[in-house]
Amino acid sequence: MRWFIVVGGISVILSVLGLFVFIFWHAIPLFQKARVGTPSELGVSLVDPVAMLPGSYGFDAVVVQENGAFQFLSCLPFQESVTIELAESGPHEVVEVSTHQGDGYLYLGMRHGAVLTVRTAFLPHAQESHQPVIEILESLQLPVAEGAALLSLDTYHMDQQELIIGLVDSPGEGQILGINRSARANPFGEVETRDEHEWSLILPDGVVAKTVLSGADARSIVVLSEQGELFYFRTGSGSPELRQRFFPMGDQGPAEMAFLNGRRTLAVWTPGGRVRFFTPVSLAAGGFKYVQSNETFFEGTGPLQLVPAADKRSLLLVRGNRVGLHYSTTNALRWEGSLPFVPQKSQFGELNQSILFLNHEGSFVSYPLDDPFPEAGLRGLFGKVHYEGREASSYEWQSTGASDRFEPKISLIPLLFGSIKGTLCSLLISIPIALCAAVYSAQFIRREWKAWIRPTIELMASIPSVILGLLAAIWFGPLVVNKVPSMLSFMVLVPMGAMLAGFAWGRLSPVVRKWIPDGTELFLLVPLFFALSYTAWHLGDWVESIFFRVYDLPTGEWVGDFALWWSLAEGKQMEQRNSFIIGVFMGFAVVPLIFSVAEEAFSSVPRQLVSGSIALGASRWQTVRRVIIPMAASGILSAIMIGMGRAIGETMIVLMASGNTPILEWNFMAGFRALSANIAIELPEATQGGLLYRSMFLGASLLFVLTFFVNTLADLLRGHLRKKYKVLE
């Protein structure tokens, strides 16, 4: 029998441990670094490559050469590399290639100012291979003066909005030319009208432009000068307007710049390896300005090259033969290594699944890349992160957005905070009520009444939490939001009234008290409780008019308005679904658990100790304080910890009545989002194996660890208390 019990206990322990390992195993990839595999190499013959772009449909990369030729490169055995010449007649001298994620458009900037808009397509060929096709959609001419040449080109195209800007090397000055175009489509998607506006921009005297980029809304222009000064312009119906001007790299001299995915965060770097990231922050007066979000340094020899990824905030850092994979938001170096050659061109492959290089010896090299979760890691999950568009670093949870360019924010700190906040709010209400009820039931109440009062309280535990959540969200929340002063009056008046009643009872003459049998005092408090509750409810209006007064501008009078007073005092609106509501209803759900265990602990105190204390002249309350509570301390602690575990894991009440706002505020009139509720909310949106999916498993692991830690701590304290009061047994 003994071995049967031992095997059963070990089996339970192993089962619990196995469950945790299974849950955490799915979260481990969130903490793994990027991995780079064995390279594939292809010999190529290239003449003056201008740009290397990610390929698709079996092609690893597309190289655009200065003569306008497109070379589609593939390391796959079933797909041959293909070279395509532009069909348009005339000489081509490509100086810049601009592309956009998802639309398949390429903009080729020619030295004489022409801009060709082309689109690539892939037609099925033999077996699994494809045949690329280049289609010229449009050709336009930037107003480049005679003798001038186009140095660089950048474009933006999205939702019928288009911005084309070019940096022109005019004699004696550096000029920026641009074209804003917008189209209006009918309900059938056909373009009906097209507006076009040409403009030119000349920088202040002595400033020579080096790089020009277009922002993410077809109205933003960023210019970097040869001296390392950055200019931010906004375009409209007239000429571009200067909004900001500063040196992003300080006094470190000339620099380069590029937009990251989404064309909002700007990366600026020096040849010496220093990289700074700047994000646009909205201004109260309208518009926005660039502020620095992160900074890093990449070691190596030679000038630094920076290549942004097309669909994430990842970027390649290349210095000589040293290559690093960096994630800008968390400022983490995901991978670093050395190449056996010095690359001429570098690029990410399709979907960031490879890293592509062209070397000076005429070889194309593709390295497989496995980095599915660069947004995660210890800092992304638990650290402060300076997200795009934010003025400072913060803890944020926002798993999805309205755009494919949205960057998920997966900090678990707001969720952990929400779980702790909800637990504390519920315990602040449930512990005093449950323990006082347990003491009274175990030591004071008459035995025949205890037989039905205790089961009645324990029956509360059978109420489904979804019913409590529904009542909290639909009934109690709207009721209390306009009666907060009444609830505050109730929380002050009822306990004070009960204590005063107890004090008065203790001062009554024994002649009067003997007419009331021991254990029936409760029935004297019931009418007092209802009377105090009624008084507190109607006293709330008076309390509001005295303590929560605000000045009403329309009437010019001082009025009582708690909601307005709270918004002025805290700077935020009072929410209908808040922590106070959760504290009341989750406390209601926890009370039966704490009461049952604590009452059992109080009832287990030996009667001879209680009788001996009373025989020595101690009052019943002194006996409770000096004998019963110390003896039952371990059981009280167990009751509290069981209630805490119930509150930490509660889902439905929190899900329905907390507002589910992942914020870090102790404000009891604000909502929160708990780990348990977050799993219920986000799970339907989580794709298997994705970032959100694994974040849910990590949240479950944290709940597991948190509960295990609480129970372990409770067991240690329980053992300590048993040893301390063992002499009384």
Side-chain angles (χ1 to χ4, degrees):
M1 187 63 181
R2 177 176 175 273
W3 285 106
F4 179 79
I5 296 175
V6 171
V7 171
I10 294 176
S11 299
V12 170
I13 295 174
L14 292 178
S15 299
V16 173
L17 183 61
L19 178 62
F20 172 74
V21 171
F22 173 79
I23 294 174
F24 187 68
W25 184 265
H26 288 77
I28 289 177
L30 295 175
F31 301 96
Q32 292 178 341
K33 290 282 191 178
R35 296 183 294 273
V36 176
T38 304
S40 301
E41 188 170 351
L42 178 68
V44 294
S45 176
L46 299 172
V47 180
D48 299 324
V50 175
M52 181 169 62
L53 311 172
S56 58
Y57 289 93
F59 293 99
D60 295 287
V62 181
V63 179
V64 183
Q65 303 187 67
E66 187 177 351
N67 60 5
F70 284 70
Q71 192 157 7
F72 295 81
L73 306 178
S74 176
C75 297
L76 298 176
F78 58 83
Q79 180 68 69
E80 295 183 356
S81 299
V82 179
T83 301
I84 299 178
E85 303 282 346
L86 286 178
E88 185 170 302
S89 60
H92 301 294
E93 192 175 357
V94 181
V95 296
E96 191 78 57
V97 179
S98 178
T99 182
H100 300 283
Q101 175 192 8
D103 56 15
Y105 289 177
L106 298 177
Y107 295 82
L108 308 183
M110 307 298 176
R111 188 167 297 279
H112 58 277
V115 178
L116 296 182
T117 305
V118 303
R119 181 170 58 191
T120 58
F122 297 88
L123 303 177
H125 196 49
Q127 296 180 351
E128 300 179 4
S129 64
H130 289 79
Q131 176 64 37
V133 177
I134 301 293
E135 179 185 3
I136 299 178
L137 302 178
E138 185 182 10
S139 177
L140 60 88
Q141 180 69 42
L142 289 173
V144 177
E146 185 177 353
L150 183 68
L151 297 179
S152 66
L153 173 78
D154 196 33
T155 60
Y156 174 81
H157 176 267
M158 183 67 67
D159 297 333
Q160 308 297 332
Q161 298 291 323
E162 190 175 36
L163 172 62
I164 301 173
I165 52 177
L167 176 61
V168 178
D169 182 20
S170 299
E173 63 181 13
Q175 188 179 15
I176 299 171
L177 305 176
I179 300 176
N180 282 94
R181 301 199 299 182
S182 61
R184 297 184 181 89
N186 59 26
F188 302 99
E190 301 171 346
V191 177
E192 291 183 338
T193 59
R194 184 184 295 272
D195 299 328
E196 187 170 311
H197 169 63
E198 295 185 1
W199 49 265
S200 63
L201 175 64
I202 299 177
L203 297 178
D205 293 340
V207 178
V208 180
K210 180 180 182 180
T211 310
V212 57
L213 298 174
S214 61
D217 56 358
R219 292 290 181 267
S220 302
I221 302 171
V222 182
V223 181
L224 187 66
S225 71
E226 292 282 357
Q227 296 82 7
E229 189 174 10
L230 188 142
F231 299 82
Y232 161 57
F233 296 89
R234 289 287 292 179
T235 65
S237 57
S239 299
E241 176 187 355
L242 179 63
R243 296 289 182 88
Q244 190 179 6
R245 176 180 180 180
F246 66 101
F247 285 90
M249 303 304 293
D251 57 355
Q252 298 186 36
E256 303 283 349
M257 71 173 179
F259 273 121
L260 303 186
N261 173 46
R263 288 181 172 263
R264 291 178 58 82
T265 298
L266 189 67
V268 184
W269 69 95
T270 62
R274 180 71 58 188
V275 185
R276 289 178 180 172
F277 302 96
F278 296 85
T279 182
V281 175
S282 299
L283 300 175
F288 58 84
K289 68 174 182 178
Y290 281 98
V291 299
Q292 183 176 337
S293 58
N294 280 317
E295 180 176 358
T296 189
F297 180 81
F298 187 66
E299 296 182 352
T301 58
L304 175 66
Q305 301 177 37
L306 186 147
V307 182
D311 59 350
K312 289 187 178 181
R313 303 303 194 275
S314 299
L315 47 102
L316 275 178
L317 302 175
V318 182
R319 288 193 71 183
N321 69 333
R322 294 288 297 168
V323 179
L325 179 64
H326 189 271
Y327 192 73
S328 62
T329 305
T330 58
N331 207 28
L333 188 63
R334 304 287 299 169
W335 174 82
E336 185 178 14
S338 298
L339 302 177
F341 55 86
V342 176
Q344 180 184 10
K345 295 285 183 182
S346 308
Q347 185 58 267
F348 284 94
E350 186 180 19
L351 302 178
N352 287 14
Q353 294 181 350
S354 60
I355 309 175
L356 314 175
F357 300 100
L358 284 175
N359 62 26
H360 294 276
E361 287 74 29
S363 295
F364 168 76
V365 184
S366 173
Y367 285 83
L369 174 64
D370 181 21
D371 189 22
F373 310 116
E375 310 92 342
L378 284 175
R379 185 176 181 188
L381 292 165
F382 300 104
K384 272 192 173 183
V385 177
H386 198 143
Y387 291 106
E388 188 175 79
R390 305 296 192 267
E391 197 164 0
S393 300
S394 60
Y395 302 103
E396 293 189 35
W397 173 274
Q398 188 180 358
S399 60
T400 56
S403 170
D404 291 339
R405 291 184 171 90
F406 169 80
E407 181 180 25
K409 304 171 182 64
I410 55 169
S411 174
L412 296 180
I413 297 299
L415 308 181
L416 279 170
F417 177 84
S419 294
I420 294 172
K421 181 181 179 183
T423 301
L424 291 179
C425 288
S426 64
L427 293 181
L428 285 174
I429 293 177
S430 61
I431 289 176
I433 296 175
L435 293 184
C436 291
V439 168
Y440 186 80
S441 174
Q443 300 295 330
F444 294 94
I445 199 170
R446 295 175 69 89
R447 221 172 255 186
E448 57 268 24
W449 292 344
K450 177 181 177 180
W452 61 269
I453 288 180
R454 178 177 176 178
T456 301
I457 296 177
E458 293 177 345
L459 191 63
M460 293 165 51
S462 66
I463 300 177
S465 59
V466 66
I467 301 298
L468 296 177
L470 179 66
L471 292 174
I474 304 301
W475 170 69
F476 193 69
L479 177 67
V480 170
V481 72
N482 296 319
K483 287 290 187 179
V484 174
S486 297
M487 295 301 299
L488 295 177
S489 302
F490 175 86
M491 296 174 67
V492 173
L493 195 60
V494 171
M496 287 185 61
M499 287 189 291
L500 288 175
F503 178 80
W505 175 260
R507 295 298 183 270
L508 284 178
S509 169
V511 177
V512 177
R513 292 169 57 181
K514 73 177 182 178
W515 292 99
I516 302 175
D518 289 342
T520 61
E521 302 90 346
L522 172 66
F523 294 97
L524 294 179
L525 289 176
V526 170
L528 178 65
F529 171 80
F530 284 108
L532 292 175
S533 300
Y534 180 84
T535 303
W537 187 259
H538 291 280
L539 193 64
D541 294 337
W542 179 82
V543 172
E544 187 175 40
S545 63
I546 297 298
F547 297 101
F548 306 107
R549 301 178 66 192
V550 292
Y551 186 74
D552 187 28
L553 289 176
T555 62
E557 298 179 355
W558 289 88
V559 297
D561 191 330
F562 180 84
L564 183 56
W565 177 88
W566 184 269
S567 63
L568 294 175
E570 292 292 325
K572 295 181 180 180
Q573 295 293 327
M574 186 176 65
E575 299 177 15
Q576 179 174 304
R577 300 183 179 183
N578 52 57
S579 306
F580 177 73
I581 306 296
I582 293 298
V584 172
F585 273 80
M586 199 153 69
F588 181 87
V590 171
V591 161
L593 297 177
I594 299 179
F595 169 82
S596 297
V597 180
E599 202 273 344
E600 196 67 42
F602 290 134
S603 299
S604 299
V605 176
R607 298 302 301 176
Q608 59 268 28
L609 292 178
V610 177
S611 301
S613 175
I614 294 175
L616 291 173
S619 66
R620 296 171 70 189
W621 177 237
Q622 288 174 328
T623 301
V624 168
R625 287 191 298 117
R626 302 288 180 86
V627 177
I628 296 175
I629 291 180
M631 284 295 298
S634 60
I636 295 173
L637 186 60
S638 298
I640 294 174
M641 291 304 174
I642 290 174
M644 183 182 295
R646 167 76 164 85
I648 289 175
E650 175 56 45
T651 302
M652 291 309 300
I653 298 176
V654 178
L655 177 65
M656 301 175 72
S658 68
N660 295 303
T661 50
I663 55 177
L664 290 166
E665 291 184 8
W666 285 111
N667 179 359
F668 75 97
M669 282 298 168
F672 60 88
R673 179 181 287 195
L675 275 168
S676 55
N678 187 70
I679 294 174
I681 293 170
E682 302 283 4
L683 194 59
E685 305 294 330
T687 57
Q688 186 173 3
L691 176 65
L692 183 57
Y693 175 86
R694 298 194 182 278
S695 298
M696 295 299 98
F697 275 96
L698 181 59
S701 302
L702 289 176
L703 278 175
F704 194 105
V705 171
L706 190 59
T707 305
F708 181 81
F709 172 78
V710 169
N711 290 335
T712 303
L713 180 62
D715 190 72
L716 293 175
L717 292 175
R718 190 162 52 240
H720 172 72
L721 292 173
R722 282 175 180 167
K723 290 180 181 179
K724 181 177 180 180
Y725 296 108
K726 188 175 182 180
V727 66
L728 297 176
E729 295 180 358

